[in-house]
Amino acid sequence: MTDVREVICRPFGRRVLWFFAGLGAAGAGAAVVRPAYGGPDVLLGVGLLLVPVGGWALYKATARVRADTYGVHSWTLLRRRSVSWGDIADVRVRLRYAHTSRAQDTRGVSLFLRDGRRLLLPLPRSWSHDHPDFDAKLDALRALHRLHGAPESGRALVVSYRTAGRGWAGSLALCVLLLGGAGLAAWFVPGAASGERAWRSATPCTSETPAAERDECLTTLTAVIARTDATWSRSKSSWLYFVDARPMDRLAVSSDGAKMFGPGDSVELTVWRGEVREVAGERHVYRLHVPAPGEPAVVAALCLLAAGHPAARVLLRLRGRRLPDDEVLPSALPFAGALVGTAVWLLPLACLHPTTLLTDPVAITWAAAGSAATLALFVWAWRATRVRTPGEIDATGVTEVTGGGGGFAEKETEAETEEVDDVFLAARFLEHTDYNPYGFGTHVVLGGGPLAVTPHPGPGRFAAKPVPVERLVVKEVRRVRGGDGDTVPSGWHIAELDDAGTPVRLAAAPADLTRILRELASGRTPANAADIGHRDA
């Protein structure tokens, strides 16, 4: 596509978008006219509903992108931008994964500028991984960039939320927000502790109690229940209604509290600080909840633990800042496991010792032991999330396959023995091939027979399809990239293979991938074995 001179991108279904924009304008007019001239309330509701739909459609319908010899120009309803090719370092694919299995992933085009900024173009857009029009527009934009600019990479990088090129400002903002919530909840702990102590030490009011101090003592009032209203939902309050609305019309209680009493029951109400705290009848006593200091302390601990997950994501992005932008970062799940382990000892401690963490010997010992366990968990999480490049020695003693430059090398271990039984390894060919039709394979079996792809982890070779090892050539072994899809775990590696001129990708855990590639090498004929790893990319 070296003869490309101009690329123009317009939204798909412009007539439909303009139709909805017109409906939005009509809805706005109806919402304005109805209060002035009257009309049914449904007219106002429909009009207000159509306004945001029309605004969204108008924004989409007016979007346009044009690329020419001077650069890339984008238009939206609110903004116009123009960027010259000299300021563009790379043209990339921005991938946004769907949150549901029925929805499709969204692909867009992002411009990576030389000053470090990223500009997401409004067009083109694709809602599938195989969209000819989107791929053609992307190829045309990259061709223009090669003609009039200086691209930093020779391939289209795919950046997603899993890759190193995605920003971490959102995770940092969420972490700060949760830390603020933890601080706010902790601020309520002393007040709740003081209120609980005052409630426990309160005594009944007497005739000699000064009026200014009557809120701090217990006042007893008599009442007769007229009826009760018990709800089934715990989120809604139940009610006790009193005869003649004395001393009040009704009192909010829980569902169980409403079921304790019936119409005509005489009760005594204990009032403290202007609120009813206890309802006592002949057979039952219902006490309204008094906040304990452990409750805000537990909320503070939960917010603190929740802030640890976005903080771990920020840490991983800072740790992998030198990786290519399209390489997938390690998963933050090990840190999430460390946070869960911390919650096991921190939440009970916050609930039982919210105000004596630094004075009670039991609490100090508990916190010290738990902190040591948390430190060990985070050290394990730090080691588990390290970036492992192809060629690094696994803890099992198996040397992984090294990639780059078009080849691989392997070293045998002393403990290696000849496989005689079938061994099923979790591995997937990412392309549709004759031995992996429609990506059905989830495991690769080796050892007791020829290398084969199976849709199950065994036992037995049911539905296994043999892999033509004689025509596969290993070109490169690399880490997972954004274009490999979100189904590939971040800790796996990808082997770039050449299948008789067709590129094929094989994904597996590093140690498993080493065994599979060793089997590929041993399964080739001696004449062809020398070609492995030496074919030009």
Side-chain angles (χ1 to χ4, degrees):
M1 303 184 68
T2 57
D3 57 344
V4 176
R5 297 183 179 181
E6 187 179 49
V7 178
I8 298 178
C9 303
R10 298 183 182 275
F12 178 76
R14 295 184 66 194
R15 293 183 178 180
V16 177
L17 292 175
W18 281 114
F19 173 76
F20 280 103
L23 286 181
V32 173
V33 170
R34 190 267 177 193
Y37 297 96
D41 293 337
V42 67
L43 182 64
L44 178 62
V46 172
L48 295 177
L49 180 63
L50 290 176
V51 169
V53 176
W56 172 84
L58 182 63
Y59 181 83
K60 293 294 184 180
T62 55
R64 183 165 65 96
V65 173
R66 180 173 62 87
D68 51 24
T69 58
Y70 301 100
V72 180
H73 319 280
S74 64
W75 291 266
T76 61
L77 183 63
L78 304 176
R79 190 170 185 178
R80 175 178 178 176
R81 291 178 175 177
S82 295
V83 184
S84 63
W85 291 116
D87 295 333
I88 300 175
D90 204 2
V91 178
R92 300 175 175 179
V93 177
R94 175 70 174 272
L95 180 62
R96 180 177 299 173
Y97 293 122
H99 296 288
T100 60
S101 58
R102 295 184 179 181
Q104 294 178 324
D105 301 338
T106 303
R107 291 192 299 167
V109 175
S110 174
L111 303 180
F112 180 68
L113 306 184
R114 298 196 182 278
D115 57 3
R117 294 183 297 130
R118 295 170 175 84
L119 175 60
L120 181 63
L121 298 179
L123 295 171
R125 283 286 191 273
S126 171
W127 288 268
S128 66
H129 289 278
D130 186 13
H131 197 285
D133 184 64
F134 177 87
D135 296 336
K137 296 291 186 183
L138 177 63
D139 293 341
L141 288 173
R142 291 186 58 80
L144 281 174
H145 192 201
R146 287 192 296 269
L147 285 175
H148 307 289
E152 289 186 352
S153 63
R155 53 185 174 83
L157 304 184
V158 179
V159 179
S160 69
Y161 77 96
R162 304 173 67 205
T163 59
R166 182 67 180 269
W168 45 269
S171 297
L172 180 61
L174 180 59
C175 178
V176 172
L177 182 64
L178 290 172
L179 289 177
L184 181 62
W187 182 76
F188 284 101
V189 172
S194 175
E196 185 185 41
R197 288 193 299 268
W199 163 250
R200 293 182 181 276
S201 61
T203 58
C205 297
T206 63
S207 58
E208 299 177 356
T209 304
E213 299 179 2
R214 285 190 171 273
D215 282 346
E216 297 298 327
C217 60
L218 304 179
T219 303
T220 303
L221 303 175
T222 59
V224 178
I225 295 178
R227 62 185 179 91
T228 62
D229 183 11
T231 60
W232 293 98
S233 175
R234 293 185 177 271
S235 60
K236 296 182 179 180
S237 297
S238 299
W239 300 94
L240 297 178
Y241 292 86
F242 301 101
V243 175
D244 299 331
R246 296 189 318 181
M248 62 187 65
D249 181 29
R250 62 180 185 175
L251 176 66
V253 296
S254 66
S255 177
D256 294 335
K259 295 176 182 178
M260 292 180 181
F261 306 98
D265 289 350
S266 297
V267 295
E268 289 186 352
L269 307 181
T270 302
V271 181
W272 181 67
R273 291 185 177 180
E275 296 183 0
V276 176
R277 295 294 183 178
E278 185 177 285
V279 181
E282 294 182 358
R283 293 172 297 177
H284 302 285
V285 176
Y286 175 75
R287 293 179 176 86
L288 278 76
H289 177 68
V290 177
E295 297 176 8
V298 169
V299 173
L302 285 174
C303 291
L304 182 63
L305 293 172
H309 188 264
R313 298 184 64 176
V314 172
L315 178 63
L316 290 177
R317 296 197 179 279
L318 293 177
R319 192 180 182 185
R321 62 188 180 275
R322 297 181 181 178
L323 296 175
D325 286 350
D326 65 334
E327 282 200 6
V328 175
L329 293 173
S331 174
L333 287 179
F335 284 101
L339 293 172
V340 171
T342 303
V344 172
W345 66 266
L346 181 59
L347 296 182
L349 178 63
C351 181
L352 299 177
H353 302 276
T355 59
T356 59
L357 293 177
L358 302 178
T359 57
D360 190 352
V362 175
I364 294 175
T365 305
W366 191 340
S371 299
T374 295
L375 179 61
L377 288 173
F378 274 96
V379 169
W380 165 78
W382 176 265
R383 292 179 56 84
T385 55
R386 70 188 187 277
V387 178
R388 300 177 57 188
T389 58
E392 183 180 346
I393 298 180
D394 198 318
T396 59
V398 180
T399 302
E400 301 177 18
V401 178
T402 58
F408 73 91
E410 57 181 285
K411 297 180 181 180
E412 302 293 337
T413 63
E414 296 180 358
E416 182 181 2
T417 59
E418 183 180 359
E419 298 288 351
V420 294
D421 298 326
D422 284 339
V423 178
F424 291 82
L425 303 177
R428 296 197 298 271
F429 285 92
L430 304 184
E431 278 77 23
H432 163 68
T433 61
D434 54 349
Y435 46 89
N436 185 46
Y438 305 103
F440 90 116
T442 60
H443 289 73
V444 170
V445 56
L446 50 86
L451 192 70
V453 178
T454 65
H456 57 82
R461 292 191 171 225
F462 175 75
K465 292 187 176 296
V467 177
V469 297
E470 67 279 354
R471 71 187 197 204
L472 293 179
V473 177
V474 181
K475 300 175 61 178
E476 179 188 6
V477 177
R478 56 173 176 80
R479 299 186 69 252
V480 181
R481 296 171 181 165
D484 298 323
D486 60 338
T487 60
V488 181
S490 58
W492 284 16
H493 285 169
I494 304 290
E496 298 277 359
L497 307 176
D498 182 274
D499 186 0
T502 302
V504 178
R505 293 170 297 170
L506 173 62
D512 295 340
L513 187 60
T514 300
R515 299 181 65 180
I516 296 173
L517 295 183
R518 185 180 296 122
E519 188 75 11
L520 284 175
S522 62
R524 294 177 58 85
T525 61
N528 294 331
D531 296 335
I532 300 179
H534 297 286
R535 179 175 294 188
D536 293 335

